[in-house]
Amino acid sequence: MSEHARPYTGPGDVDRLNGLGVSPGRSAGPLIRMAEPPELPAPGPVTDQAAEIATITKALEAVAIDLRTRSEATTDRTAAEILDALAMMADDPMLREDAERHARAGRDAPHALDAAFSRHRETLSSLGGYLAERAADLDDLKHRAVAAALGLPMPGIPSPGHPYILAAEDLSPADTAGLGDDVLALVTERGGPTSHTAILARGRGLPAVVACRGVLDLPDGTIISVDGRTGEIATGLTPEAAARIVDQDRAERNRLAATRGPGRTADGHPVKLLLNIGSAADLPPGPLDAEGVGLFRTEFLFLDRKQPPTFEEQVAAYAEVFARIGPVVVRTLDAGTDKPLPFLGLPPEPNPALGIRGLRVDRLLPAVLDTQLDAIAEAARATATTPWVMAPMVTTRAEAADFAARARSRGLTQVGAMIEVPAAALQAEELLAEVDFLSIGTNDLSQYTFAADRQHPSLADLLDPRQPALLKLIALCTEAGHALGKPVGVCGEAAGDPQLAPLLVGLGVTSLSMAPVCVPAVRDELSRHTIEECRHLASQ
Ligand code: PEP
Ligand code: MG
């Protein structure tokens, strides 16, 4: 039991836990914990082979049914196709026969399943290419089947058949991408405010709280409320109290959604409100109420890939976004640290956040950036649009100049540099002389300015974007923009915080790029302040 949670005794026994609110909105409902993969116990003596075989059949059936239920419950077509493909793998008669053979040879059901899945995994891996990539899916299926055979809850994203709040130690980008529509909110014990779990939760518009110690001590089914702005979790609510919170949240979202149109201060000073996305799927359905995409994180398209995406695949993925909204700021691949791209095959490093990441990958693999720039240029031609391109982790003027030359040689006319490294902010004017715009990535700029891991739950105060040292670096960039008459935006998570928006605008920021879910509250807050008030706030 964590020091932060006292024993929970049942509904009506309301208690509170605190974490960091990282994705706005409130929700309430029953909590379900994400189970860890089961540990295989020591092999047991087998007295009844027929019973073991029956357990194998039932376990594989349970896995397939669970996956099909999740597929039917989601409105995300890609997720449904993946889940159906996994269900077919669980139904594979060869796999079942193999497990049964192991049972007849004297293994208990969990070990027979483990052996059968492991053999199939080896076969797939040896085939290489796309099939080898699917080998990891077999591990996931194996964990599920073994858990079912042991009578344990299935690991991975639960599918209880009703809406629920998901609690987990942490979520990988792949877990978060696979969440069904039945998830009301996320709470994790680990993670930080700018971790990619937080970013993905915001991308899906799910209230989320990270670094919430004690949440995994609550039993499944406890009704909790989640406040994704304050980070507060109330436990032990009655179903009526939970329903009231859901209604209030809906009313607040409706109120904010009623304010539409471009970003403006109260006296009409324009501030572009742009979207952060990882693929076309992150763009909300229907007409888009934003002035473009300010950060297209292209690496999110290819996170689980072991083979490099082809030129054609990239063209298709970029064109899909360009065709829906413009202008789009495409950020070239930002691989490394918490976003490893297996297909790059980068060597392990002792200190990856300070190593080969972002634009630095170009030092080892220049063809990757060249192909990506070719694909962006081709997608622009195919859709008759003018995307902007920018590089992550630019550190020196020479890097900015090299990137700009390579982009421009392909007809890409709007070229920018992200400011994520203090050295780049200190040289903002020199960098901006080489490019057309700057985009400040406050997540990494905080991490590198304060020497504080952006995922670290105990260093949240250092990662707070109100820190004066960070604001001074932002001011250096906006002053450079002002001097050269070029735009300087913010695309880190700070841009989506309504309380910060007037301050950033007062510092001279010309655009704010954020998860779609954050736009209404930022627009609403900006409309309440004149530009003079914003500047006054910044001068303080
Ligand atoms: C940032 O660092 O602020 C940023 C926008 O990039 P990412 O979060 O993808 O590293
Ligand atoms: Mg970054």
Side-chain angles (χ1 to χ4, degrees), residues 196 297 331 334 339 357 392-393 418 420 441-445 448 454:
H196 289 97
R297 289 183 163 103
R331 196 255 305 270
D334 182 22
K339 286 180 291 189
R357 61 162 298 196
M393 293 290 293
M418 284 190 78
E420 304 184 277
T442 42
N443 309 337
D444 277 314
L445 190 56
Y448 294 120
R454 62 191 268 178

Side-chain angles (χ1 to χ4, degrees), residues 17-21 187-188 209-213 227 229-233:
L17 300 177
N18 282 297
L20 296 170
V187 188
T188 61
V209 171
V210 300
C212 182
R213 286 208 280 158
D227 188 325
R229 197 167 289 292
T230 62
E232 190 174 273
I233 309 288

Side-chain angles (χ1 to χ4, degrees), residues 58 93 96 108 143 252 261 301 303 434 486 507:
K58 268 203 222 128
R96 198 189 59 237
D108 59 26
H143 292 144
E252 175 62 4
L301 291 166
L303 276 180
E434 303 292 347
K486 295 182 181 179
L507 286 171

Side-chain angles (χ1 to χ4, degrees), residues 41-419:
V46 171
T47 48
D48 183 350
Q49 281 183 2
E52 298 302 320
I53 289 174
T55 304
I56 288 169
T57 310
K58 268 203 222 128
L60 290 171
E61 268 173 17
V63 173
I65 289 170
D66 176 58
L67 292 163
R68 292 221 165 83
T69 311
R70 285 170 58 193
S71 157
E72 280 158 21
T74 179
T75 52
D76 178 336
R77 212 166 16 93
T78 317
E81 278 168 17
I82 294 170
L83 292 165
D84 285 340
L86 286 172
M88 274 175 67
M89 286 165 100
D91 272 341
D92 181 353
M94 273 169 59
L95 183 76
R96 198 189 59 237
E97 280 159 23
D98 207 17
E100 289 175 3
R101 198 172 47 76
H102 283 292
R104 279 193 291 275
R107 290 195 168 148
D108 59 26
H111 285 89
L113 283 163
D114 183 66
F117 272 106
S118 301
R119 202 176 70 86
H120 281 238
R121 186 194 207 291
E122 267 167 41
T123 313
L124 269 195
S125 298
S126 66
L127 294 173
Y130 174 78
L131 289 172
E133 278 177 30
R134 302 274 64 85
D137 294 342
L138 274 182
D139 285 341
D140 182 43
L141 286 181
K142 176 176 83 176
H143 292 144
R144 288 166 174 273
V146 169
L150 289 168
L152 297 173
M154 284 204 202
I157 305 293
S159 50
H162 57 74
Y164 68 102
I165 293 172
L166 177 64
E169 177 81 19
D170 204 356
L171 291 167
S172 69
D175 288 330
T176 325
L179 295 177
D181 301 337
D182 46 359
V183 176
L184 298 168
L186 300 176
V187 188
T188 61
E189 285 230 349
R190 300 190 323 132
T194 58
S195 62
H196 289 97
T197 295
I199 292 167
L200 285 163
R202 272 188 293 265
R204 295 188 51 130
L206 284 175
V209 171
V210 300
C212 182
R213 286 208 280 158
V215 71
L216 292 177
D217 295 334
L218 297 169
D220 284 351
T222 310
I223 299 185
I224 68 169
S225 69
V226 176
D227 188 325
R229 197 167 289 292
T230 62
E232 190 174 273
I233 309 288
T235 67
L237 303 186
T238 60
E240 296 73 34
R244 266 198 306 280
I245 289 171
V246 171
D247 286 348
Q248 284 164 0
D249 181 65
R250 195 174 301 122
E252 175 62 4
R253 282 179 196 248
N254 288 343
R255 183 187 77 75
L256 290 174
T259 63
R260 301 181 73 82
R264 295 274 182 270
T265 58
D267 53 341
H269 176 86
V271 182
K272 282 204 165 63
L273 300 181
L274 308 172
L275 305 180
N276 288 359
I277 61 167
S279 73
D282 292 342
L283 289 169
L288 292 162
D289 192 23
E291 294 158 78
V293 167
L295 173 61
F296 180 4
R297 289 183 163 103
T298 53
E299 65 281 359
F300 278 15
L301 291 166
F302 310 116
L303 276 180
D304 61 346
R305 295 284 298 261
K306 297 216 173 57
Q307 301 297 319
T310 62
F311 168 78
E312 289 76 16
E313 269 179 279
Q314 294 193 55
V315 174
Y318 307 148
E320 196 181 351
V321 174
F322 299 170
R324 275 229 42 214
I325 185 171
V328 175
V329 182
V330 188
R331 196 255 305 270
T332 54
L333 292 175
D334 182 22
T337 60
D338 60 334
K339 286 180 291 189
L341 291 182
F343 70 82
L344 292 175
L346 292 173
E349 291 183 292
N351 207 346
L354 300 181
I356 301 296
R357 61 162 298 196
L359 185 60
R360 298 168 183 191
V361 172
D362 192 56
R363 294 164 187 244
L364 302 184
L365 304 166
V368 173
L369 179 61
D370 286 330
T371 307
Q372 187 172 25
L373 290 173
D374 285 340
I376 296 168
E378 178 54 31
R381 266 190 292 280
T383 52
T385 54
T386 307
W388 297 25
V389 283
M390 66 182 182
M393 293 290 293
V394 176
T395 308
T396 64
R397 179 176 187 161
E399 285 179 357
D402 175 66
F403 179 74
R406 283 158 74 184
R408 291 197 179 110
S409 71
R410 290 164 167 91
L412 296 164
T413 53
Q414 297 299 316
V415 185
M418 284 190 78
I419 301 289

Side-chain angles (χ1 to χ4, degrees), residues 20 191-193 211 446-447 450-464 467:
L20 296 170
S446 300
Q447 150 160 281
F450 295 96
D453 182 344
R454 62 191 268 178
Q455 316 245 46
H456 204 302
S458 309
L459 302 176
D461 56 322
L462 294 177
L463 297 165
D464 185 334
Q467 280 283 357

